Amino acid sequence: MIGIPLRFKTAVALVLLGLLTLLAGIGQKTFWAPAETVTATASAGEAAPLTVIDQKLRTLEGGTVSIKVEGEGSFLLAAGRPDDVDAWVGKTAHNTVTGLSEDKRSLQVEHTGGEASAPSPAGSDLWVSTEKASGELDYTWSAPADGEWSLLLAADGKKPAPSSISMTFPNDTSTPWAVPLMVLGGLLILAGGALLVLKPKAGAPRDGESSGNGSAGNGGDNQGSPFARRARAKAAAKAGDRSSSARLSVVVAATTAAVLAGTAAAAQASTSSAPASTTTTPTTGASDAAKASGTPVVLDAQFRRILEQVASATDAGDAAKDAKKLAARVAGTELEVRTQNYKIRSRVASYDARMPVRSTKLLTTVVTDKREWPRSVLAVTQGEGNVVPQLLTLVQESPRENYKLVGTSPLQPGTTFPAIVRGGTESLAAGDKSGLLYSGQEALAGLADRLTKSSSTFKSKLVEGESSPYIADTLSYQADIVKDGVDGKFTFSHKVDPKSTVVFRTEDGGALVLGHLNFNFDGTPKADGDKLSIGNDAAVLAGGKETTTGMVLKFAESVAVYVPPADSKDPMKLVAATRGLVDASFK
């Protein structure tokens, strides 16, 4: 009777312990379960016109990050490549949200001193997207494309940027102990129940005792006295209780050890998969990852938006014949050519307008992965008014300037535009001849020489004829001037504008070279009293039609030349070309 209370107490203890363990496991999955998200806020610090949110925060905790911004008046949140954001911020004073505190409740903010104001970032071509708000903004931070993306927060560049920022991150909701605790609790309850219902086995004979009818040293009573038998029975029952309890304890201990070992392994795996640190350091300078990965300077959506704005500005200028309407999106040679075109057309109705710039039918784009400035991109379009596809060259001179159209030239009839990697191709320096028959400088110089002289050594090195009629047309125009101008001496020159040369690597290892040539047409009377006449278009710029002292006409030529790779035996090919009158004067 002594063993029954012991088994009962042990069983009750095991059941109670199992219930508590089971409850702990269930609690981790229910009322003690961790929150699915955690929200961190930025404390009000030193005011600055710009705030940068470091790209590391987007992927710091995995999953989608939500941002809430509150501020007075209007403000915007712009997304861009980290190196673009840093370049636009420049030397302006700014705050940078760099990471999370250890408890994930506070955002770490660092202040960088500098200039007190900046231009408004609204409308910059650097941003792949912008969100405008007044008073409050809820923003879901997702990557518009592969790679790293930072955020820029600002009012108008002069007022302080909103400082009330909170970010909600996904939280680690894993509970590696929950299931093991529930399993262990169940096992303990089962063990307690088993201890109540299991009966101990009868004790086995001890050494020196006989289980048969053989004699013993008790005078022939081989079963012993009744008192001895009762004593042995009680001892055997007690030993059976201890043996059963011991066996059950061993089973429970072994099971517990196995479950705990698995739990520890799960916990260790969970810990090892978590981030090593919840803090980050501020980003300074351009992104090394962006430099190394060949990241294109603009995405397709950005390019289309830029091109639409360029086409809109050009349409407005063309329609009004007002060069002031071009200033925001046209520069360089194209601005000069269109300005003079407007001036001539206002006096000479028959003078041809420049080919319109269209964005509606974008045939292809060429985007560089060269992330320094100036940056150049190309587009081939053919919309309304474009008899043949037109090659557009756009340049961004600095981070805070937008892309501007600097050259337009129609493709030569029958020309196939060379294949170029669309995801961001290599751009070469004008003098770089790596893997090419000619460098960009040499290619344009060769074309200029060929356009100047009919006996040029580059005659056999450039494709001519029906697929490149511009060369033949130019040489024919110059020859006709000499032939028909019996009273004058005429010279012609085509010279490369070295600052305009842009070179893009093509898929076959060759290159597409773009640039501008200055085409000068010089005429001097042969004898005193001889007169030279110029056309109505040139007369508008020169202020008259005849001269006895001589005249100079200046044209700007926009050209594109394909250069084969170094191991090719093919000649270069003029892909696109056009010219426009930019000046006329008398000597």
Side-chain angles (χ1 to χ4, degrees):
M1 298 298 293
I2 298 175
I4 293 176
L6 178 62
R7 290 202 308 274
F8 180 76
K9 290 178 181 179
T10 304
V12 170
L14 287 173
V15 171
L16 289 175
L17 181 60
L19 287 172
L20 291 174
T21 306
L22 180 62
L23 181 62
I26 295 173
Q28 287 199 15
K29 285 293 188 181
T30 55
F31 45 85
W32 289 333
E36 293 185 354
T37 60
V38 60
T39 298
T41 59
S43 58
E46 190 170 351
L50 306 173
T51 295
V52 176
I53 301 179
D54 192 281
Q55 56 86 18
K56 294 183 181 67
L57 287 164
R58 185 177 62 82
T59 56
L60 185 62
E61 297 296 320
T64 303
V65 178
S66 298
I67 301 175
K68 186 178 185 66
V69 181
E70 294 179 314
E72 297 181 1
S74 299
F75 58 87
L76 66 82
L77 188 69
R81 297 290 187 186
D83 58 334
D84 287 346
V85 172
D86 292 342
W88 196 94
V89 170
K91 297 180 180 179
T92 304
H94 61 281
N95 292 317
T96 304
V97 182
T98 60
L100 288 174
S101 60
E102 290 296 333
D103 62 1
K104 300 183 181 181
R105 298 296 178 184
S106 299
L107 294 171
Q108 296 175 334
V109 181
E110 294 191 1
H111 179 77
T112 302
E115 298 171 357
S117 65
S120 172
S124 172
D125 287 344
L126 288 184
W127 318 138
V128 67
S129 64
T130 55
E131 295 287 338
K132 296 181 180 180
S134 179
E136 184 176 305
L137 172 67
D138 291 310
Y139 178 77
T140 300
W141 193 3
S142 57
D146 292 339
E148 299 175 347
W149 299 93
S150 293
L151 299 177
L152 178 68
L153 181 63
D156 60 357
K158 298 177 178 61
K159 298 177 183 177
S163 59
S164 178
I165 305 171
S166 62
M167 300 180 68
T168 301
F169 300 89
N171 193 29
D172 183 6
T173 58
S174 62
T175 52
W177 288 91
V179 172
L181 285 173
M182 287 189 284
V183 172
L184 179 58
L187 291 174
L188 290 172
I189 293 171
L190 290 175
L195 190 58
L196 286 174
V197 299
L198 289 177
K199 292 183 178 180
K201 294 181 180 180
R206 296 182 182 180
D207 291 344
E209 294 182 344
S210 173
S211 61
N213 294 323
S215 62
N218 56 3
D221 186 3
N222 53 10
Q223 294 299 320
S225 67
F227 297 100
R229 287 197 298 271
R230 284 196 298 272
R232 287 197 297 271
K234 289 181 179 179
K238 188 174 182 179
D241 286 346
R242 289 197 300 267
S243 176
S244 297
S245 297
R247 286 195 298 272
L248 186 58
S249 299
V250 169
V251 171
V252 171
T255 305
T256 302
V259 171
L260 290 177
T263 303
Q268 183 178 5
S270 175
T271 303
S272 64
S273 63
S277 173
T278 58
T279 59
T280 61
T281 55
T283 301
T284 57
S287 168
D288 292 336
K291 287 181 179 178
S293 63
T295 306
V297 295
V298 293
L299 301 183
D300 283 346
Q302 279 177 281
F303 203 128
R304 290 182 181 276
R305 184 183 72 232
I306 293 167
L307 192 57
E308 287 173 0
Q309 293 177 7
V310 168
S312 178
T314 308
D315 279 348
D318 289 351
K321 298 175 187 163
D322 184 357
K324 293 180 180 178
K325 296 183 180 295
L326 302 176
R329 284 294 185 176
V330 184
T333 298
E334 192 62 26
L335 178 60
E336 184 181 21
V337 171
R338 287 188 182 269
T339 299
Q340 299 300 66
N341 182 274
Y342 298 162
K343 187 174 182 179
I344 295 171
R345 286 170 54 210
S346 65
R347 300 272 298 276
V348 182
S350 61
Y351 191 68
D352 290 337
R354 293 286 286 180
M355 185 179 289
V357 174
R358 302 300 186 204
S359 61
T360 51
K361 190 176 180 181
L362 181 60
L363 302 180
T364 191
T365 60
V366 179
V367 177
T368 180
D369 60 7
K370 173 180 170 287
R371 304 198 63 80
E372 294 78 20
W373 281 270
R375 294 174 174 178
S376 299
V377 295
L378 308 179
V380 179
T381 64
Q382 187 176 16
E384 183 182 354
N386 300 145
V387 179
V388 295
Q390 184 172 210
L391 180 59
L392 311 176
T393 305
L394 294 86
V395 174
Q396 185 182 39
E397 291 292 342
S398 67
R400 289 182 176 177
E401 294 182 76
N402 281 340
Y403 281 92
K404 294 185 178 182
L405 181 69
V406 298
T408 64
S409 53
L411 297 187
Q412 292 285 275
T415 294
T416 300
F417 192 78
I420 300 179
V421 177
R422 290 201 61 195
T425 189
E426 179 187 10
S427 59
L428 306 176
D432 191 347
K433 195 178 177 179
S434 303
L436 302 174
L437 277 178
Y438 306 97
S439 68
Q441 284 178 341
E442 292 172 335
L444 293 184
L447 173 63
D449 187 73
R450 177 65 183 123
L451 291 172
T452 301
K453 297 180 291 187
S454 59
S455 60
S456 169
T457 56
F458 276 84
K459 182 176 181 179
S460 61
K461 299 174 183 178
L462 278 160
V463 174
E464 299 184 20
E466 293 183 359
S467 61
S468 292
Y470 184 82
I471 296 175
D473 288 348
T474 301
L475 291 172
S476 176
Y477 166 74
Q478 294 171 173
D480 288 344
I481 292 292
V482 172
K483 180 180 178 181
D484 297 338
V486 294
D487 293 331
K489 299 178 181 178
F490 303 99
T491 59
F492 308 92
S493 66
H494 300 258
K495 296 183 179 179
V496 179
D497 176 4
K499 296 180 181 180
S500 67
T501 306
V502 179
V503 185
F504 294 100
R505 184 78 72 180
T506 56
E507 283 188 1
D508 62 359
L512 181 66
V513 182
L514 300 102
H516 299 128
L517 307 181
N518 295 318
F519 173 19
N520 283 5
F521 168 10
D522 188 291
T524 303
K526 287 184 177 179
D528 292 341
D530 288 344
K531 292 182 180 180
L532 301 180
S533 299
I534 57 177
N536 292 333
D537 52 354
V540 173
L541 303 181
K545 289 201 60 172
E546 294 183 337
T547 177
T548 58
T549 57
M551 54 79 176
V552 177
L553 304 184
K554 295 183 178 181
F555 299 86
E557 294 177 299
S558 294
V559 298
V561 180
Y562 166 71
V563 179
D567 57 356
S568 174
K569 295 183 179 179
D570 294 332
M572 295 185 293
K573 187 171 184 178
L574 184 62
V575 175
T578 191
R579 64 173 172 261
L581 181 64
V582 294
D583 191 25
S585 61
F586 296 137
K587 295 180 180 179

